[in-house]
Amino acid sequence: MSSSDFHIQLRGIKKSYLFRKKPRLILDNLDFTAKKGEFLCLLGASGSGKSTLVRLIAGLEQPDSGSVLHGGQKVSAPSDKRILVFQDGALFPWLTVEENIAFGLNSKKIPRSEQKEKIDKVLKTVGLEEFRQAYIHQLSGGMKQRVAIARAIVLEPEVLLMDEPFAALDAQTRDQLHLELQDIWRKTGCTIVFVTHNVRESVRLGDRVLLLSSNPGKVVKEYSVSIPHPRYIEDHAVVDLSREILKSLKLVVQASEQSAK
């Protein structure tokens, strides 16, 4: 497969942060790719550099060495072609639902008439038409994440980056948002890079699951997920593959703990 077949490429990525005035290696010689339209899940325990990875792809940070490519072009700054959805949503509490969704459109100076059309469409997609004039404090946790997703997809990004967006939600809400995200992915055709520490979540959502080591992070195993969509947490195929991946994750965590001694 040639480089033109890949939408996102990370080559030889190294990244360190200062910890107690000393550099700590977070990512070490990391490589992976994502094809256009793929749903790729990055799975790992704490210290695997998952959040750092999506920030690098978003262009919010730069690697110490190596390169991040989007469509064959080096990522050197943020772009509305790659939108990052955070765990806490990062919404503006002084704005209404509609105003939050319009924030990026205003930055791009899109005409009001066109904005309304786009906002109406995404509000319908995430099921929040009746809450367009609500403020963020009036919403449940799941509704807040729907707003965050709507604010991202209204810009029609090529790549949607998601940093554990459902981690703080209850199981029932998370289950519903999994279904909605799968539907949004099919409708938009965008590439999704989804960070999680939840094994079952990664199997339910992803085309592929990349298992990352910890301290420092690198890809240690790759799993292809061929289970037909829509998938459900309790599906036997989801449970079986999750069990297999969980065994590998436990070994990765044990190895990390041994190396830290």
Side-chain angles (χ1 to χ4, degrees):
M1 196 173 280
S2 69
S3 60
S4 61
D5 294 312
F6 299 118
H7 204 200
I8 296 295
Q9 294 173 273
L10 282 78
R11 298 172 172 169
I13 297 296
K14 288 195 175 188
K15 181 70 176 178
S16 300
Y17 293 122
L18 284 178
F19 180 73
R20 295 178 180 173
K21 299 182 180 181
K22 293 182 179 180
R24 171 176 286 185
L25 189 60
I26 303 298
L27 300 170
D28 184 22
N29 199 30
L30 184 141
D31 296 270
F32 73 75
T33 59
K35 293 182 290 186
K36 188 173 180 62
E38 184 175 23
F39 199 128
L40 180 68
C41 287
L42 304 179
L43 174 69
S46 297
S48 58
K50 304 183 300 295
S51 294
T52 298
L53 271 175
V54 289
R55 291 179 66 84
L56 290 172
I57 298 171
L60 296 172
E61 297 185 32
Q62 294 298 310
D64 299 336
S65 61
S67 57
V68 180
L69 304 176
H70 176 193
Q73 301 298 312
K74 186 175 180 180
V75 173
S76 56
S79 166
D80 57 20
K81 292 181 179 180
R82 300 177 307 278
I83 302 293
L84 176 56
V85 177
F86 296 94
Q87 181 178 330
D88 62 2
L91 300 170
F92 304 117
W94 60 90
L95 300 179
T96 64
V97 166
E98 184 173 13
E99 289 167 342
N100 265 281
I101 295 171
F103 186 82
L105 299 175
N106 288 330
S107 301
K108 294 180 70 175
K109 296 182 169 53
I110 292 175
R112 293 287 181 182
S113 59
E114 190 178 340
Q115 283 194 31
K116 185 179 184 309
E117 184 180 336
K118 289 178 177 291
I119 292 169
D120 287 349
K121 182 179 178 181
V122 296
L123 281 171
K124 185 176 182 180
T125 299
V126 299
L128 289 176
E129 299 111 306
E130 296 179 15
F131 296 90
R132 64 192 309 146
Q133 297 304 323
Y135 285 91
I136 302 307
H137 72 274
Q138 297 172 311
L139 306 179
S140 68
M143 292 164 73
K144 290 175 184 176
Q145 283 306 87
R146 286 186 177 95
V147 177
I149 293 169
R151 187 176 64 181
I153 65 174
V154 77
L155 295 171
E156 299 177 359
E158 295 178 6
V159 180
L160 185 61
L161 304 164
M162 309 189 80
D163 189 5
E164 302 203 52
F166 309 142
L169 303 178
D170 63 84
Q172 185 176 351
T173 302
R174 187 166 59 244
D175 184 69
Q176 182 59 36
L177 286 175
H178 283 166
L179 286 172
E180 293 174 12
L181 180 58
Q182 290 176 70
D183 190 50
I184 289 168
W185 171 55
R186 285 194 297 272
K187 288 177 179 176
T188 62
C190 67
T191 303
I192 297 181
V193 179
F194 188 99
V195 163
T196 183
H197 64 269
N198 185 313
V199 176
R200 195 85 67 90
E201 181 174 64
S202 70
V203 174
R204 183 179 189 182
L205 295 174
D207 287 326
R208 280 190 301 143
V209 178
L210 301 185
L211 178 59
L212 304 177
S213 62
S214 300
N215 303 312
K218 61 175 64 176
V219 178
V220 292
K221 205 157 187 179
E222 175 182 323
Y223 296 87
S224 292
V225 187
S226 57
I227 305 165
H229 287 281
R231 301 173 190 156
Y232 298 91
I233 288 292
E234 66 275 12
D235 287 346
H236 290 303
V238 171
V239 172
D240 291 343
L241 182 54
S242 297
R243 187 181 294 117
E244 179 185 343
I245 296 174
L246 183 58
K247 289 179 182 177
S248 296
L249 178 59
K250 287 179 177 179
L251 291 174
V252 166
V253 171
Q254 289 171 4
S256 176
E257 290 172 348
Q258 289 294 325
S259 65
K261 290 180 180 179

